[in-house]
Amino acid sequence: MTEQAQTSEAVRTAEPFDTFFARSFPGMTARALLLCGHPQDAEDAVQEAYAAAFSRWERLCRYDAPDAWVYRIVRQRLWAVARDRSRTRLAEPDSFQPPPAAGVEQTVEARAVLTALARLPSRQRTVLVLNCLEGMTQQAIADELGLTRGAVAASVFKARAKLMKAVGMTDRADKGNGRRAAHGRHDDLGLVPSQATARLRDQAAAPADPVVAALRRTELWLRAAVARSDRPARQLAAVRVASAGSEAAQRCAAAEADGARSEAPEAEEAAGPGPAAERNGE
């Protein structure tokens, strides 16, 4: 197959943006909510990241994992917001309707975890989610956030202790939670992005760290809650509007620049000869 034919085949089989958005948005929003602790901050970061992806989709659609690119933008935006804000904005877990498949205990636990996360200092919350849920090493987190490894380790330790106390975890309850994570109904909802499904199920089936297990169950509960809400349709429309506005602004700026360049010679001619030309008798 020629190179041109291969390119045409890649274009023909590339995932449409709307399909990518529908597949990845619930998980992306769930992770953003866990990272930042406030729905509006999460929505703003997710919308900005998807708008950036939409404007570059012709190139991004050929990536092996375009959602990883979007998620990195989300993390960067949320960390910047966390550093600029002196006080944490508390989450509103009751604003999410429980997924139909979620039991009462699952909903109570998810809301308790969300509230506890929102009450953590932003650094502790961020490093806890990245380390325990995302699986990033402490050094990788330190490099991304501009912290020392010691600061990351201390934040993870404090955040774990506070979360366990807030949610009321005990040794016996933790072991039970770990077993329930392996057989929870959330795994059967089909709402986890396809490339992450096997990894999440394998992790849930393994002997669970109580904090990791609680965060995973909460993330899956959030995925399902987001998917059944009006957020996906509303955010997709907002992404298209934001992208259209950005493209229009770029076209206006380019037109103004072209106009300035075309007017420059006329302005120079109207100004007449400069001092040097006058001295030379020109």
Side-chain angles (χ1 to χ4, degrees), residues 80-227:
V81 170
R83 287 182 300 175
D84 291 341
R85 182 169 293 126
S86 58
R87 297 184 63 184
T88 298
R89 300 168 63 185
L90 294 181
E92 303 164 359
D94 291 340
S95 65
F96 294 93
Q97 294 299 316
V104 174
E105 290 185 3
Q106 291 171 319
T107 296
V108 169
E109 180 192 48
R111 287 177 170 166
V113 169
L114 287 172
T115 299
L117 282 174
R119 294 182 183 277
L120 291 176
S122 58
R123 178 191 292 185
Q124 292 182 17
R125 181 177 61 250
T126 300
V127 300
L128 179 71
V129 172
L130 293 180
N131 182 245
C132 294
L133 190 56
E134 184 68 15
M136 292 177 63
T137 66
Q138 293 180 359
Q139 187 59 58
I141 296 172
D143 293 341
E144 177 166 322
L145 303 184
L147 304 172
T148 65
R149 187 181 182 281
V152 171
S155 293
V156 170
F157 178 82
K158 293 176 182 177
R160 285 177 58 89
K162 290 178 181 178
L163 182 62
M164 291 182 72
K165 181 178 180 180
V167 180
M169 295 180 183
T170 64
D171 289 342
R172 179 175 299 179
D174 291 340
K175 292 177 182 178
N177 284 342
R179 286 194 296 271
R180 285 197 299 273
H183 303 289
R185 287 188 289 174
H186 285 314
D187 255 356
D188 298 324
L189 293 175
L191 297 171
V192 180
S194 57
Q195 68 268 29
T197 303
R199 176 176 60 82
L200 284 175
R201 289 180 175 173
D202 289 345
Q203 289 174 343
D209 174 300
V211 172
V212 174
L215 289 173
R216 287 176 187 155
R217 288 192 298 272
T218 301
E219 181 184 22
L220 291 172
W221 184 93
L222 274 174
R223 288 177 189 262
V226 170

Side-chain angles (χ1 to χ4, degrees), residues 4-118:
Q4 183 176 1
Q6 290 175 340
T7 301
S8 299
E9 180 66 19
V11 171
R12 187 164 54 252
T13 59
E15 184 178 33
F17 180 82
D18 285 11
T19 303
F20 164 73
F21 183 92
R23 172 177 63 79
S24 61
F25 178 80
M28 196 71 65
T29 302
R31 190 63 61 91
L33 286 163
L34 292 171
L35 278 171
C36 76
H38 194 273
Q40 190 58 55
D41 290 344
E43 285 194 8
D44 290 346
V46 170
Q47 179 180 319
E48 180 178 311
Y50 276 108
F54 182 69
S55 65
R56 299 167 174 78
W57 189 242
E58 185 176 350
R59 174 171 55 87
L60 285 179
C61 68
R62 297 178 180 81
Y63 283 25
D64 291 336
D67 48 341
W69 187 92
V70 173
Y71 181 46
R72 185 170 184 82
I73 300 297
V74 170
R75 294 201 309 265
Q76 292 172 346
R77 165 66 186 249
L78 291 177
W79 180 239
V81 170
R83 287 182 300 175
D84 291 341
R85 182 169 293 126
S86 58
R87 297 184 63 184
T88 298
R89 300 168 63 185
L90 294 181
E92 303 164 359
D94 291 340
S95 65
F96 294 93
Q97 294 299 316
V104 174
E105 290 185 3
Q106 291 171 319
T107 296
V108 169
E109 180 192 48
R111 287 177 170 166
V113 169
L114 287 172
T115 299
L117 282 174

